[in-house]
């Protein structure tokens, strides 16, 4: 996802290809998170897992109504913490 957003907010808003790539990557990421074992998610209680799954449903089923401001806010403000938590889970449970 970082590759698609590294050119910044303006590029995200101006280029539909970047928007499509980010939305698809978010959808896949959220679907993957949905399938994580509950024990793993419980180990990182600071992450609102249920909201991530809910957002995935919106991306998958209401994609024409997705607010790009919300998407950019997620990319900029929430993905960095999520990435750290996923790395912790991977170390803790996978090795």
């Amino acid at each position: 996802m970082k590759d698609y957003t590294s050119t910044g907010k303006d590029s995200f808003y101006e280029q539909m290809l970047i928007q499509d790539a980010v939305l698809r990557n978010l959808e896949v990421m959220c679907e993957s998170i949905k399938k994580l074992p509950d024990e793993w998610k419980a180990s990182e209680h600071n992450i609102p897992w249920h909201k991530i799954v809910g957002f995935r449903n919106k991306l998958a089923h209401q994609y024409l109504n997705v607010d790009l401001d919300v998407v950019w806010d997620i990319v900029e403000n929430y993905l960095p913490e999520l990435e750290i938590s996923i790395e912790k889970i991977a170390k803790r449970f996978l090795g």
Side-chain angles (χ1 to χ4, degrees), residues 4-67:
Y4 299 115
T5 59
S6 64
T7 56
K9 185 176 183 177
D10 290 339
S11 293
F12 172 74
Y13 282 101
E14 293 168 2
Q15 297 183 40
M16 187 176 274
L17 287 175
I18 293 175
Q19 293 169 19
D20 288 344
V22 169
L23 292 173
R24 178 67 179 141
N25 276 266
L26 283 172
E27 185 179 347
V28 170
M29 180 195 69
C30 293
E31 179 66 23
S32 298
I33 285 171
K34 180 179 172 182
K35 295 179 180 188
L36 288 176
D38 290 337
E39 176 188 2
W40 294 15
K41 291 184 276 192
S43 72
E44 289 294 316
H45 54 81
N46 57 316
I47 301 297
W49 301 107
H50 64 284
K51 287 185 179 182
I52 293 170
V53 172
F55 186 65
R56 178 259 172 226
N57 291 338
K58 184 166 186 154
L59 289 172
H61 302 294
Q62 299 174 2
Y63 52 88
L64 295 176
N65 296 321
V66 173
D67 184 336

